[in-house]
Amino acid sequence: VFEFIVILPFLAPPRPDTKHTIDCANEFGVSVKMITGDHRAIAVETCRTLGMGTNVLGTEKLPLMKAEELEKATTLGRDYGELCRKADGFAQVFPEHKYLIVEALRQQGMLVGMTGDGVNDAPALKRADVGIAVQGATSAAQAAADIVLTEPGLSTIVTAIVTSRKIFQRMKNFVIYRVACTEQLLFFFFISCVFYHPNEINAAWPSHFAIPVIALVTITILNDGTIISVAYDNVHASMQPEKWDLNILYIVSSAIGLTALASSLLILSVALSSADPTSAWREFGLPALSYGEIQTLMYLKISLSDYFSVFNSRTKGWFWSRAPSFILVGAFIFATAASTLLAVYWPFGNGMIGISWELSGYVWLYVAFWAIIQDAGKVLTYNTLQYFGWVESVAVIDERKLKDQTQQLFGVDVE
């Protein structure tokens, strides 16, 4: 005969950083759901403790399908996607249910991340867009995951969100800068070659304006170094997830690149008439130029415009609204200094002749002036796009505040 004496409850509270991680994820636009094999009552209480919603469902509305059926199913999003989206979690699930939930959300067009540690989590970890195996996970879970955490806790996920969004911002800046530079280069050489006829001004000059290939090579080589530095620039992570919109990126790039193109064509037109005493060039007190000097002048102008454009491309506001990284500034200084030295002491021949330091200084002033106009055009473009609702003004994550919260949570310094 057995006599009932007492019930001994066991409590396995969440880690101290779990609630902080979930709060941050929700604030950053990431919906967090609990999927557990524990009893529904336990799941509801855990959700309440963590500040999550308590709409935790069982598996009565989810079918227990075989693995082969799940892999071939194409209607999970239609049949169960809305149920999974509205629920705050699921309890008493089997591995097949976890896979179904992940796949149903994915078929609804969502990017799904999942954490897990056991063999039963492996299929869903593999199917998720980002599978995260926590510290102490089984070998099967680690093999199926995209990310393996090597220390206890989930706070690293917050760091991953912030870092990935900063990478996304750098990729957007890279695309804008690359397209803007390409537009100026390609359109300038096409227009100058087809529509400009230097021999009409001086019979000894060629019938079409052109710059030697070696000059183009030096522009692109130095430009590549500046482009690489974009990967190390200072950027802010957006508070909400963002998506690629290549049309918007192309519009912004064109606002920068076509403004630089207009300034290049303008100075080319004026420089070609430098021999005319009544020309605008001579009214500024500048000397008459030979054809070789005009080529070098345009080489320096296009080079500087490309390198200045990196500052226009990196912010939605004015270029001084966010400080650039030392690496980006260093790459800019190196590229512009090298281009200036090449323009003054042009060593490669091919008909190009070095220009004076004074004239190169005027080119610097001209390009700097137009860089401000480029930036104004970019700001106006963004404001116009926001006015018509094509671009949303997205808040950014306060990383200093986030770091302070993490330090208070763990009582340690965070780099």
Side-chain angles (χ1 to χ4, degrees):
V1 178
F2 294 93
E3 181 182 355
F4 181 78
I5 299 177
V6 68
I7 294 178
L8 295 177
F10 291 90
L11 177 65
R15 288 183 52 81
D17 64 330
T18 302
K19 187 176 188 308
H20 171 69
T21 301
I22 294 174
D23 291 341
C24 288
N26 289 327
E27 187 180 6
F28 299 163
V30 179
S31 177
V32 181
K33 303 180 185 298
M34 176 182 292
I35 306 176
T36 177
D38 293 338
H39 192 275
R40 181 175 177 275
I42 298 175
V44 170
E45 177 60 21
T46 304
C47 285
R48 187 191 63 78
T49 303
L50 296 174
M52 300 172 60
T54 56
N55 180 27
V56 179
L57 305 179
T59 59
E60 59 275 0
K61 294 184 179 181
L62 297 176
L64 186 59
M65 303 171 64
K66 295 181 179 179
E68 297 79 7
E69 297 173 338
L70 287 171
E71 291 178 356
K72 297 178 181 178
T74 59
T75 60
L76 297 178
R78 182 197 65 191
D79 299 335
Y80 309 103
E82 196 66 16
L83 174 70
C84 296
R85 190 182 64 82
K86 291 182 178 180
D88 296 314
F90 292 88
Q92 298 171 255
V93 299
F94 291 103
E96 292 84 355
H97 293 130
K98 297 179 181 181
Y99 186 99
L100 185 150
I101 294 168
V102 170
E103 180 60 16
L105 292 172
R106 291 185 74 252
Q107 289 184 11
Q108 283 216 329
M110 300 179 183
L111 293 176
V112 182
M114 179 178 171
T115 62
D117 61 355
V119 175
N120 59 345
D121 297 317
L125 287 171
K126 185 68 174 179
R127 190 55 181 163
D129 295 290
V130 182
I132 303 172
V134 300
Q135 190 267 343
T138 62
S139 299
Q142 292 183 13
D146 302 293
I147 300 173
V148 178
L149 304 184
T150 58
E151 296 183 2
L154 301 175
S155 59
T156 305
I157 296 176
V158 175
T159 304
I161 292 174
V162 174
T163 302
S164 63
R165 293 186 183 178
K166 292 172 75 172
I167 292 172
F168 183 80
Q169 291 298 324
R170 293 188 179 106
M171 291 172 65
K172 288 206 305 183
N173 295 344
F174 170 87
V175 172
I176 292 173
Y177 179 46
R178 177 73 276 177
V179 173
C181 292
T182 302
E183 280 189 347
Q184 183 194 196
L185 283 172
L186 293 182
F187 284 120
F188 173 80
F189 290 116
F190 172 75
I191 294 174
S192 63
C193 181
V194 174
F195 297 103
Y196 281 77
H197 306 288
N199 63 338
E200 296 179 357
I201 300 173
N202 187 325
W205 290 355
S207 58
H208 300 283
F209 182 81
I211 292 179
V213 173
I214 185 63
L216 302 181
V217 171
T218 59
I219 291 176
T220 54
I221 290 177
L222 293 173
N223 194 24
D224 286 343
T226 310
I227 287 177
I228 292 173
S229 69
V230 174
Y232 302 92
D233 190 22
N234 295 328
V235 295
H236 294 313
S238 61
M239 185 69 74
Q240 297 297 316
E242 293 187 85
K243 295 182 179 179
W244 281 107
D245 191 332
L246 295 180
N247 292 327
I248 297 300
L249 295 182
Y250 184 76
I251 291 172
V252 175
S253 300
S254 297
I256 299 171
L258 295 182
T259 303
L261 170 65
S263 66
S264 296
L265 294 175
L266 176 61
I267 193 173
L268 174 61
S269 300
V270 176
L272 286 174
S273 61
S274 62
D276 184 357
T278 62
S279 66
W281 182 271
R282 299 298 289 275
E283 289 180 1
F284 280 101
L286 299 173
L289 301 177
S290 66
Y291 181 73
E293 290 174 319
I294 295 175
Q295 287 180 303
T296 308
L297 172 81
M298 294 312 304
Y299 160 78
L300 178 60
K301 193 281 167 191
I302 294 171
S303 298
L304 295 180
S305 286
D306 272 359
Y307 310 144
F308 268 90
S309 295
V310 71
F311 296 108
N312 305 130
S313 306
R314 56 185 297 275
T315 62
K316 289 185 177 180
W318 295 96
F319 68 86
W320 57 78
S321 61
R322 185 175 72 243
S325 68
F326 289 113
I327 294 178
L328 187 142
V329 173
F332 168 80
I333 292 174
F334 177 82
T336 52
S339 297
T340 304
L341 289 172
L342 287 173
V344 174
Y345 304 106
W346 184 254
F348 302 118
N350 287 279
M352 291 177 60
I353 302 174
I355 59 177
S356 66
W357 280 104
E358 181 182 7
L359 184 55
S360 65
Y362 285 124
V363 175
W364 266 83
L365 292 175
Y366 180 82
V367 172
F369 172 76
W370 274 93
I372 297 175
I373 296 178
Q374 286 176 235
D375 215 49
K378 175 205 65 182
V379 172
L380 178 62
T381 300
Y382 271 121
N383 290 339
T384 303
L385 293 173
Q386 289 179 6
Y387 177 80
F388 286 106
W390 295 339
V391 171
E392 295 183 0
S393 180
V394 181
V396 297
I397 296 173
D398 187 343
E399 293 188 61
R400 184 178 297 275
K401 178 182 176 181
L402 184 62
K403 182 184 296 185
D404 292 341
Q405 290 175 345
T406 305
Q407 290 177 350
Q408 291 175 6
L409 184 65
F410 294 102
V412 297
D413 291 335
V414 180
E415 295 296 332

